[in-house]
Every structure is written in C-alpha cells, then in structure tokens.
Amino acid sequence: MNTYDKGPAFVVSIPPKWENVTAEALMRDIWQAPKKTVHQLRMDKAIILDGQPLNWTTPLKKGDKLHFSLTEKEYGVIPAEMPLHILYEDAHMMIVNKPAGMNTHPNNPSLEKDTLANAVAWHLQQKGEKVDVQHIHRLDKDTTGAVVFAKHALVKGILDRLLAERKIKRTYWAIVHGLITNKKGTITKAIGRDRHHNTRRRVSPSGQPATTHFQLLEQNKPKNLSLVQLVLDTGRTHQIRVHMSSIGHPLAGDTLYGGKPIVSRQALHAKYIEFDHPLTEERLAFEAPFLDEPPLFSAFFKKEGE
C-alpha cells in the first residue's frame, strides 16, 4: 500500500488476494469498517479509481489504486510543542511512547495543553496534516509505554473493533512488591468502582469481568521485588494495579493500591504492542523503550556485572 506524505489522503493498491473483490465487500467483509463511516465515504464520493468516482459494486483488479481524499478536520485538541517519542507512523495512524506524568488526552480539550494528544497534534500540524487526533486506548497518567492514535475515521473504526475483539495485543511490565512464587498465573476477578473513593477501583462481584495473565521474569530478593510481564484479556480501568494488589503484590510506587513509594510513580510500562494493520493486514509489532530518567526498571533489575 502506498500513502501520501500529507493527509488526510492516501492510496490503497489492491494486492492479488483482493482481486475480484468489490469495494463494497472490501469495506464490509475484509476491513469490517463501521457502516456510518462507509456511508459517509459514499456520500462524499471520497474514493477515486482511475480518475473517476468509485463504482462500489465493480470487482477490483490487482494493482488498482483507490485514492482516498478525506475531509480535513480540526485537531480536537490544542497543538502544543513537547518531546514526542514515535514508534511508528503512516498516513493512517501513529504509535507513540508515552512518558510518565502525562495524561493520554485532555479532559477539557479547549483548555488543557499538556497531554500526549496535544503533542501528537503539534507533530501533525508541523507536517501539514490536519486531522482529528483520536486515541484508540489510554494509559494512566503515571503509566508509560505504547499508545495508538488514529488519523482518520475509517481506521479509527477498524482499530476500535480490533481492540474490542482483543486483537490488539498489549504486553506490560511491572515491578511489584514481594517475591512471586508462581512462574505464571491468571487473575480473574471482576472490577468495579470504590464507593468510598472517587478514583479508586476495587475487586467487586458486581463489577465488570476482568482477566489478567502474569508471568514472572525476574526477582530482586534483597529488595523483595518481582519483575512481571502481564497480558490483559480485558481493559478495565486500573486493572493491573487492582489485580496485582488483590493477590498481595501491589505495584511499587502505587500508593493508591497499597504500594510503597520507593519509586516516583507506579512501576508499570506498556512495553510491547502487536496487531494487524487495519488496512493492509500486515503484522505490526513494536517495543516501547523505557523513558524514565533516572532509570526505573533497569535500576531494580540489573544483570550481574552491570
């Protein structure tokens, strides 16, 4: 697939596997794009083939180039210049590495200027891309790591579906108190709001189902700490923090859930992200490097000789 450098415009080149598929079937069956978005593309005549408006029911040929021309949109947030660590970018989306102490997006977009979304908007503005900045998922303010942003509604709708279907695999690393004895384990406990605390969540039988898989990576016996890798089947607010605390291993630095303030923040990092590209179906896999200065994770788990 080819893409323009500046959006919101891009080209999709039809590969052999999609030959004889109609644009209608491509949208409905292969991309499974939202009906509302597809309808808007039709109404706007936003897709051109060989210089002519697309016939949605004519079978496509290998090498056909679908030219998408999408309406420019306001960023939705105030562009603000800040350091931005980009793991991946194309005409459709960005994957960025969020630092600690920064919200994913503003609660009040007309006033706040210090979130990851503001930094993404600034980056796009400098490139001349005028698109609505849309996050696909969020990380807590003090959690670091990979976050996905969509650049247009078609990809946003497909990525939202992939997330709901658990096809965007996110893998976290955390430092927790105590020496975990099981090499692997699964925590399946429903999570609900804490009626006595506005921001806290808690294990609650009447809450939303939640499942967390953990794997022990390393132990620091002198400091009574364990390094664990975690994969979520669900994406509940504070899920890792609540689940690890519930089994007696709260995150280091996470004072809200019983962790001790031995580090400046909760020791949680979204280290890996993996999924199929929403349009090309190419497998994407990225590792988000640690950004903490001074180092947080490596300081607690140095190899011998370091």
Side-chain angles (χ1 to χ4, degrees):
M1 182 178 70
N2 301 315
T3 60
Y4 290 110
D5 289 332
K6 294 183 179 181
F10 58 90
V11 177
V12 173
S13 183
I14 299 302
K17 65 180 178 179
W18 293 346
E19 190 161 25
N20 293 322
V21 172
T22 66
E24 196 169 64
L26 176 64
M27 296 281 182
R28 182 188 65 233
D29 302 328
I30 296 175
W31 290 344
Q32 298 179 50
K35 291 180 181 179
K36 183 178 178 181
T37 302
V38 175
H39 176 71
Q40 196 62 52
L41 290 171
R42 279 179 180 267
M43 297 299 292
D44 293 344
K45 294 183 171 55
I47 310 176
I48 303 295
L49 175 62
D50 295 331
Q52 300 295 322
L54 176 68
N55 185 326
W56 286 68
T57 58
T58 299
L60 298 166
K61 303 187 297 294
K62 181 184 73 173
D64 276 350
K65 290 181 169 52
L66 302 181
H67 292 250
F68 288 70
S69 181
L70 307 182
T71 305
E72 289 190 341
K73 295 193 173 184
E74 295 299 324
Y75 295 107
V77 298
I78 303 169
E81 185 176 11
M82 288 176 279
L84 187 65
H85 304 268
I86 300 171
L87 302 175
Y88 175 83
E89 181 178 11
D90 62 19
H92 315 285
M93 62 185 185
M94 294 176 63
I95 305 174
V96 295
N97 192 5
K98 189 181 87 64
M102 177 182 281
N103 285 319
T104 301
H105 63 95
N107 291 319
N108 189 333
S110 62
L111 292 178
E112 295 176 55
K113 297 190 292 185
D114 57 355
T115 75
L116 190 62
N118 298 106
V120 168
W122 173 270
H123 168 78
L124 295 173
Q125 186 182 63
Q126 302 315 298
K127 293 181 66 183
E129 295 186 39
K130 199 166 186 181
V131 300
D132 186 9
V133 176
Q134 303 174 88
H135 62 279
I136 302 302
H137 57 102
R138 294 176 293 181
L139 294 177
D140 293 339
K141 183 175 182 177
D142 286 329
T143 299
T144 55
V147 179
V148 181
F149 287 85
K151 291 187 178 183
H152 55 80
L154 177 59
V155 156
K156 170 73 161 60
I158 298 171
L159 286 171
D160 283 343
R161 175 180 59 78
L162 293 176
L163 186 70
E165 293 175 353
R166 304 174 187 171
K167 291 179 179 176
I168 297 180
K169 183 180 179 182
R170 292 173 288 164
T171 303
Y172 297 79
W173 279 20
I175 299 172
V176 301
H177 292 289
L179 302 177
I180 293 180
T181 53
N182 295 331
K183 292 279 182 72
K184 293 182 178 180
T186 296
I187 307 166
T188 304
K189 298 180 179 181
I191 294 175
R193 290 183 176 274
D194 188 330
R195 290 175 295 174
H196 306 292
H197 197 295
N198 285 338
T199 56
R200 271 179 62 102
R201 299 296 191 273
R202 65 185 182 91
V203 168
S204 169
S206 61
Q208 293 178 300
T211 301
T212 303
H213 306 281
F214 69 85
Q215 176 185 346
L216 176 65
L217 298 178
E218 203 169 336
Q219 290 181 334
N220 186 322
K221 292 183 179 179
K223 294 178 179 176
N224 195 36
L225 297 170
S226 297
L227 178 65
V228 292
Q229 180 167 287
L230 306 114
V231 176
L232 311 183
D233 282 355
T234 49
R236 309 305 178 202
T237 301
H238 297 179
Q239 179 172 324
I240 289 173
R241 300 165 65 186
V242 172
H243 271 175
M244 294 310 295
S245 178
S246 76
I247 62 168
H249 296 284
L251 273 59
D254 189 7
T255 55
L256 187 62
Y257 292 104
K260 298 174 184 176
I262 58 173
V263 289
S264 59
R265 66 176 182 89
Q266 71 234 14
L268 182 60
H269 179 70
K271 189 167 178 60
Y272 304 105
I273 191 161
E274 186 175 352
F275 58 97
D276 291 340
H277 191 287
L279 298 184
T280 68
E281 299 181 330
E282 172 192 5
R283 192 66 175 172
L284 302 176
F286 299 96
E287 177 179 355
F290 298 117
L291 296 177
D292 294 283
E293 287 295 342
L296 191 158
F297 280 78
S298 58
F300 279 81
F301 293 93
K302 287 186 176 179
K303 302 293 184 184
E304 290 185 17
E306 288 186 342

